[in-house]
Amino acid sequence: MIPRLRFAHLPTPIEPLPRLGKEIGLPSLYIKRDDQTGLAFGGDKTRKLEFLVAEALEQGAKMLITAGAAQSNHCRQTAAAAARFGFDCILVLSGEPPKTVSANLLLDELFAAQIVWAGERVNRDRVLSETFAQAQAQGKCPYLVPYGGSNSTGALGYAFAVEELLGQAVKPDWIVFASSSGGTQAGLVLGARLFGFQGQVLGISIDEPRPNLQDCVARLATETSGKFGTTIQFAPRDIQVNDDYCQAGYGVLTGSEREAIRSFARTEGLLLDPVYTGRAAAGLIDLARKGFFNPQQTILFWHTGGQPALFAEAYQDL
Ligand SMILES: *Cc1c(COP(=O)(O)O)cnc(C)c1O
């Protein structure tokens, strides 16, 4: 038995997007609402944390330590999970303390996470290992949650998400979603293989060149498969990634994310986020307009959350 806590609100609903679908020429367009996973405004990290927090408890840990960007959704959900299960929490964030504490960062503080500012992004790994070593030396029994929750434990969340999907009424030909640290995509491709999902799994890269993300996802999916008993080998060519939409860099809001966020809001009353789902949706819309998908096909946009970032200072010109 793979240790798992059950705190996510599952299965997440699948809803049709008829008005948006009509506008972009995809009559059979759906969304899976992992922005509604139920923990502190939800998001994809909640599924991973069901396995990561279970492992931390099993190891007798008393503190969760993780790292990310200042407006990290992963850090916000980790801080909430720590509060919910009685762990202390330290978040190592890149950058300097901002003048105004808003959005995800405000929520981190509400969950009583201790924030360590790492300065420039290049320092973050070093500050994270120092922070972890110090907590260990002080007898705090820390558990290291990887960046984005993306290791072979966290990726289990999305392997089982495919099993969940196969029990739902919508049978997609394509799953399209935001891919960054690779755990979500690794879980999805592994789950597709394990549970017999026949459709395509297309990650829209948020910040990584295609070959890097394909390598990372293939390695992680292979490693995660070991948890099910037999290792399944995934090669980079098995992993479908589109990196056409990440040129602006991580977290930089351009006209295409703005348009995508406005389209989803205007046509369906749905909220995307400026960093991940806004960019992935911009990719989906562009691909649909270019005729990448066959209009007979069923397309599932897998919403991975992130909306608190809409309220960050940086995105007030949305
Ligand atoms: C972390 C995150 C992703 C990317 O998931 P990975 O497993 O890191 O690839 C996508 N969307 C949102 C909103 C996220 O917070």
Side-chain angles (χ1 to χ4, degrees), residues 43-45 48 73-74 77 148 150 178-185 206 213 273 276-277 304-307:
D44 64 340
K45 305 312 178 303
K48 302 175 181 185
N73 302 303
H74 161 67
Q77 287 163 87
S150 289
S179 191
S180 176
S181 67
T184 301
Q185 188 159 9
I206 298 309
L213 192 50
D273 83 285
Y276 295 94
T277 55
T304 46
Q307 295 103 324

Side-chain angles (χ1 to χ4, degrees), residues 254-318:
T254 74
S256 22
E257 287 88 26
R258 247 187 216 100
E259 190 211 337
I261 291 170
R262 289 188 173 276
S263 296
F264 272 66
R266 175 174 48 77
T267 60
E268 300 288 353
L270 276 169
L271 295 173
L272 302 177
D273 83 285
V275 180
Y276 295 94
T277 55
R279 182 161 287 179
L284 172 79
I285 291 170
D286 185 57
L287 289 171
R289 286 184 181 147
K290 285 177 174 159
F292 176 84
F293 304 106
N294 175 340
Q296 315 305 317
Q297 289 179 323
T298 296
I299 315 298
L300 181 73
F301 183 72
W302 203 310
H303 196 321
T304 46
Q307 295 103 324
L310 283 171
F311 304 101
E313 291 284 287
Y315 302 116
Q316 289 320 295
D317 61 343
L318 194 70

Side-chain angles (χ1 to χ4, degrees), residues 46-81:
T46 302
R47 288 189 192 264
K48 302 175 181 185
L49 285 162
E50 286 199 328
F51 294 91
L52 291 160
V53 177
E55 188 173 86
L57 281 175
E58 201 179 57
Q59 294 177 6
K62 304 257 181 296
M63 172 185 272
L64 303 183
I65 299 184
T66 196
Q71 282 296 335
S72 165
N73 302 303
H74 161 67
C75 289
R76 178 242 315 159
Q77 287 163 87
T78 302

